[in-house]
Amino acid sequence: MLIVGALLLIIIGFIHSFLGEKYILIRLFRRDNLPKLLGSDWFTKRVLRFAWHLTTLAWWGFGAILYVLSKPQANIQGEILVIITLVFALSGLVSLLFSRGKHLSWMCFFAIAFTSYYGMG
């Protein structure tokens, strides 16, 4: 059953990102009344886009955890910490790149990735 949940999370992630871009984000970004953060709507659009796709990344991470839990190995804690490390390192990278460092969440995401990686030791 956990494999089914993992597969559903992978599928829903793809659907969420694809349909969200096509039917929500692109249409939303055509509006001329978005809040102007840091002087323009550029930052607003970038934050909305990376936050939207971070949801997908988080779901894929949960899917990976469900997969690991479906076939437990001797070091299940280490495997889950690897997944958490990867999800938060990627989240930090996405936040850093999409916002060009202006959205400070990347620091927190990298800190979580580091502490998760450190916890494997």
Side-chain angles (χ1 to χ4, degrees):
M1 282 311 274
L2 293 178
I3 297 280
V4 172
L7 288 172
L8 289 172
L9 282 163
I10 299 304
I11 292 167
I12 196 86
F14 279 114
I15 292 169
H16 178 262
S17 278
F18 178 74
L19 294 180
E21 274 290 334
K22 186 172 182 175
Y23 293 109
I24 296 174
L25 295 176
I26 290 174
R27 291 177 182 186
L28 179 66
F29 296 161
R30 288 184 190 142
R31 299 177 62 111
D32 60 359
N33 63 346
L34 288 175
K36 293 182 180 0
L37 302 175
L38 301 179
S40 74
D41 65 357
W42 176 88
F43 184 69
T44 304
K45 291 174 181 178
R46 299 295 281 206
V47 169
L48 288 170
R49 178 163 276 134
F50 87 71
W52 186 274
H53 294 296
L54 283 185
T55 303
T56 295
L57 183 59
W59 290 344
W60 288 346
F62 279 117
I65 290 171
L66 286 179
Y67 177 78
V68 165
L69 290 172
S70 75
K71 301 176 185 266
Q73 302 294 318
N75 187 14
I76 194 165
Q77 179 180 347
E79 291 179 20
I80 291 173
L81 285 171
V82 166
I83 294 165
I84 292 169
T85 299
L86 289 172
V87 166
F88 281 96
L90 288 171
S91 296
L93 191 60
V94 167
S95 173
L96 179 65
L97 294 176
F98 267 71
S99 75
R100 296 185 187 155
K102 293 179 181 177
H103 193 282
L104 302 180
S105 62
W106 62 269
M107 289 188 282
C108 188
F109 291 143
F110 283 144
I112 294 166
F114 174 77
T115 57
S116 299
Y117 179 78
Y118 184 77
M120 286 187 271

